[in-house]
Amino acid sequence: MISVDEALEKVLAHVDVLEAEESPILGCLGQVLAEDIFSTVNIPPLDNSAMDGYAVRSVDTRGASRQSPHFLRIIGTVTAGTISKSEVKPGMAIRIMTGAPIPKGADGVVRFEDTDESERQGIPEEIGILTEVKSGSEIRQAGEDITAGSLVLRKGTVIRPAEVGVLASLGRSKVMVIRRPVVAILATGDEVVDITQPLPEGKIYNSNSYSVAALVLRYGGIPRLLGIALDTEDSLVAMLRLGLDADMVITSGGVSLGDYDVVREVLAKQGEIIFWRVREKPGRPLTFGVIKGKSKAGGVRNIPLFGLAGNPVSSMINFELFARPAILKMMGKKNLAKPTVKAVIEGAIKNTDGRRVFTRVTVEKRGGQYFARLTGPQGSGILTSMARANGLVIVPEDKPEVKPGDLVRVMMLDWSEEVE
Ligand code: AMP
Ligand code: MG
């Protein structure tokens, strides 16, 4: 049996960063940029107004105040997206809208609030300026956000909504990103029934494929549900064949020591077992290996395979601990860790056999301190406890017991508003 840390090391040693592909920018959220993005344009493209107001020559406002307004002749209006043909000469002003390019001759903008516009009726021919403005006032400089030729986004950047916006501002509709892994998901078990079917007596619905597929989606992969294999080698081999063009295979169930636990045997015959059994609770029977799959070019390639334990909580936790970082690495990400917080535990945890224990908790912040409350019974079949949890207390291998009030480390599964 190996430790959680050794197991993760072995997993990561067996997965590689995937190739880059071109993708529409909205499809790239959470993916890693595979090219440096340079700008060919200035943003904004021209000096433009930061306010609705009047474009003026700043010298014409010198000495203006509410007591002694300076009156300027209005020679036109310029709106965003148009370019004024007129030039602002001494004693003149052009009405200007936010985003509109600064007309020739003007070097400042006076906001509507600093003019007497609101007191005037109809379309005024002149405007009273009630304040002095400096040269450059309320003007956004051409290229102040992005200058033409500059490196805007570096290769390796994770694309978030802000990056999607920046790419759009450059007029990029597609970019090169590391592609998302396709993850084939297979349930095993004679007792497991598809959720679209009636449930015969003694059977259970296949929840694992769905919780795992949802996790794959959350972390950026593309889940592909292969269905349910029976507890026979033949059935498993046949079903696994459907996933041999995927980038990763995840099975659930059939990795313990029972008579019908055939996943390991099949993995040993079709590929190689890298490890089996991890010093953790829940999820000890976790199996990891590689199977021979097909490459796009028609050759043979190793596909990482996770044989998750069948218990619904074990499969989810082992996904978080091992499959999630593997997917993130394949996507080219560098930060593979979930965030952790220190919390005061409300409840006791026993660790009787030197494993690393992951206990489901609800984390709350009260008075500047995190508190972690156990979600109740911790059986690995109690999936609703995962639904109640937003974190996992990590009890180290060498800590036999955690007492109420102890400070513990909690891996956050979710970081919702309630936590902060
Ligand atoms: P196993 O590891 O195959 O012995 O399964 C352990 C437990 O998990 C058993 O109670 C199974 O019925 C249950 N189980 C296995 N596969 C699934 C699944 N796909 N969905 C829900 N529960 C499952
Ligand atoms: Mg089974």
Side-chain angles (χ1 to χ4, degrees):
M1 224 181 333
I2 63 173
S3 72
V4 171
D5 297 331
E6 284 172 285
L8 180 59
E9 221 168 88
K10 285 187 193 292
V11 165
L12 293 178
H14 283 87
V15 297
D16 294 316
V17 180
L18 297 175
E19 325 82 69
E21 66 179 13
E22 196 175 45
S23 172
I25 56 172
L26 254 193
C28 297
L29 200 59
Q31 281 178 280
V32 170
L33 203 53
E35 59 172 323
D36 284 334
I37 303 289
F38 291 92
S39 178
T40 53
V41 294
N42 277 323
I43 298 179
L46 300 168
D47 290 356
N48 69 91
S49 182
M51 286 287 176
D52 295 322
Y54 286 86
V56 299
R57 290 155 26 92
S58 57
V59 291
D60 288 352
T61 69
R62 205 161 290 156
S65 68
R66 275 169 205 277
Q67 289 71 39
S68 65
H70 285 193
F71 295 98
L72 301 175
R73 188 156 68 82
I74 303 169
I75 58 162
T77 295
V78 57
T79 56
T82 60
I83 291 179
S84 172
K85 290 193 191 74
S86 319
E87 180 176 345
V88 177
K89 298 207 174 104
M92 296 177 183
I94 289 180
R95 206 162 176 268
I96 191 166
M97 303 300 135
T98 303
I102 302 298
K104 209 183 288 167
D107 69 340
V109 171
V110 184
R111 305 178 302 163
F112 283 158
E113 300 91 303
D114 295 325
T115 69
D116 65 3
E117 181 175 88
S118 62
E119 292 150 33
R120 292 176 182 269
Q121 317 271 292
I123 301 169
E125 288 188 353
E126 63 162 19
I127 189 72
I129 305 294
L130 310 180
T131 185
E132 267 187 14
V133 294
K134 291 199 187 72
S135 182
S137 166
E138 308 298 3
I139 292 178
R140 301 189 288 218
Q141 301 290 326
E144 76 173 18
D145 185 5
I146 296 170
T147 48
S150 65
L151 175 59
V152 183
L153 297 174
R154 219 172 267 285
K155 187 172 167 173
T157 301
V158 177
I159 299 181
R160 303 167 306 158
E163 281 75 23
V164 171
V166 168
L167 290 165
S169 77
L170 299 174
R172 292 290 300 255
S173 60
K174 292 177 176 178
V175 281
M176 294 299 289
V177 286
I178 314 271
R179 71 175 178 85
R180 301 179 184 278
V182 173
V183 181
I185 298 166
L186 179 64
T188 73
D190 294 349
E191 78 283 27
V192 181
V193 173
D194 186 77
I195 58 172
T196 60
Q197 300 301 309
L199 193 64
E201 203 186 343
K203 308 278 185 186
I204 56 165
Y205 276 129
N206 172 18
S207 63
N208 288 348
S209 290
Y210 291 90
S211 52
V212 167
L215 286 164
V216 169
L217 276 176
R218 165 176 279 193
Y219 294 112
I222 302 169
R224 201 162 87 213
L225 271 63
L226 301 183
I228 304 162
L230 299 174
D231 287 320
T232 65
E233 286 195 35
D234 287 350
S235 173
L236 195 59
V237 168
M239 297 293 286
L240 272 180
R241 206 162 280 151
L242 304 172
L244 292 186
D245 55 351
D247 301 299
M248 177 187 287
V249 176
I250 299 182
T251 66
S252 68
V255 285
S256 303
L257 289 167
D259 295 343
Y260 298 97
D261 292 331
V262 293
V263 170
R264 251 187 344 274
E265 261 153 76
V266 168
L267 179 57
K269 285 181 190 163
Q270 308 272 318
E272 186 194 341
I273 296 173
I274 308 294
F275 64 78
W276 169 55
R277 281 158 70 89
V278 178
R279 227 178 301 129
E280 61 172 338
K281 185 181 172 181
R284 171 164 49 188
L286 173 68
T287 301
F288 176 74
V290 290
I291 50 169
K292 299 266 174 267
K294 292 173 278 195
S295 74
K296 278 217 179 78
V300 179
R301 95 201 138 107
N302 282 335
I303 309 175
L305 182 146
F306 292 89
L308 304 180
N311 277 309
V313 173
S314 311
S315 63
M316 286 193 77
I317 291 181
N318 270 333
F319 183 100
E320 291 280 7
L321 296 178
F322 302 104
R324 182 190 54 78
I327 288 174
L328 297 183
K329 179 176 175 186
M330 288 172 128
M331 293 182 68
K333 302 211 181 179
K334 296 283 190 283
N335 182 8
L336 309 182
K338 292 286 276 187
T340 63
V341 298
K342 288 264 187 196
V344 173
I345 185 126
E346 300 176 332
I349 306 169
K350 289 246 184 296
N351 180 10
T352 47
D353 57 359
R355 289 189 267 168
R356 191 173 300 179
V357 178
F358 297 92
T359 308
R360 282 142 270 164
V361 289
T362 308
V363 175
E364 280 171 359
K365 197 173 192 181
R366 297 197 296 268
Q369 169 69 57
Y370 290 109
F371 291 89
R373 195 176 58 250
L374 302 192
T375 55
Q378 296 283 322
S380 53
I382 301 180
L383 187 53
T384 52
S385 70
M386 278 304 273
R388 280 191 295 275
N390 61 356
L392 298 173
V393 171
I394 305 167
V395 184
E397 291 81 345
D398 58 0
K399 196 161 170 62
E401 124 176 90
V402 168
K403 293 195 231 34
D406 281 357
L407 208 54
V408 292
R409 199 152 69 87
V410 184
M411 174 200 265
M412 297 306 296
L413 295 171
D414 293 288
W415 198 280
S416 60
E417 304 75 65
E418 293 93 78
V419 180
E420 288 204 277

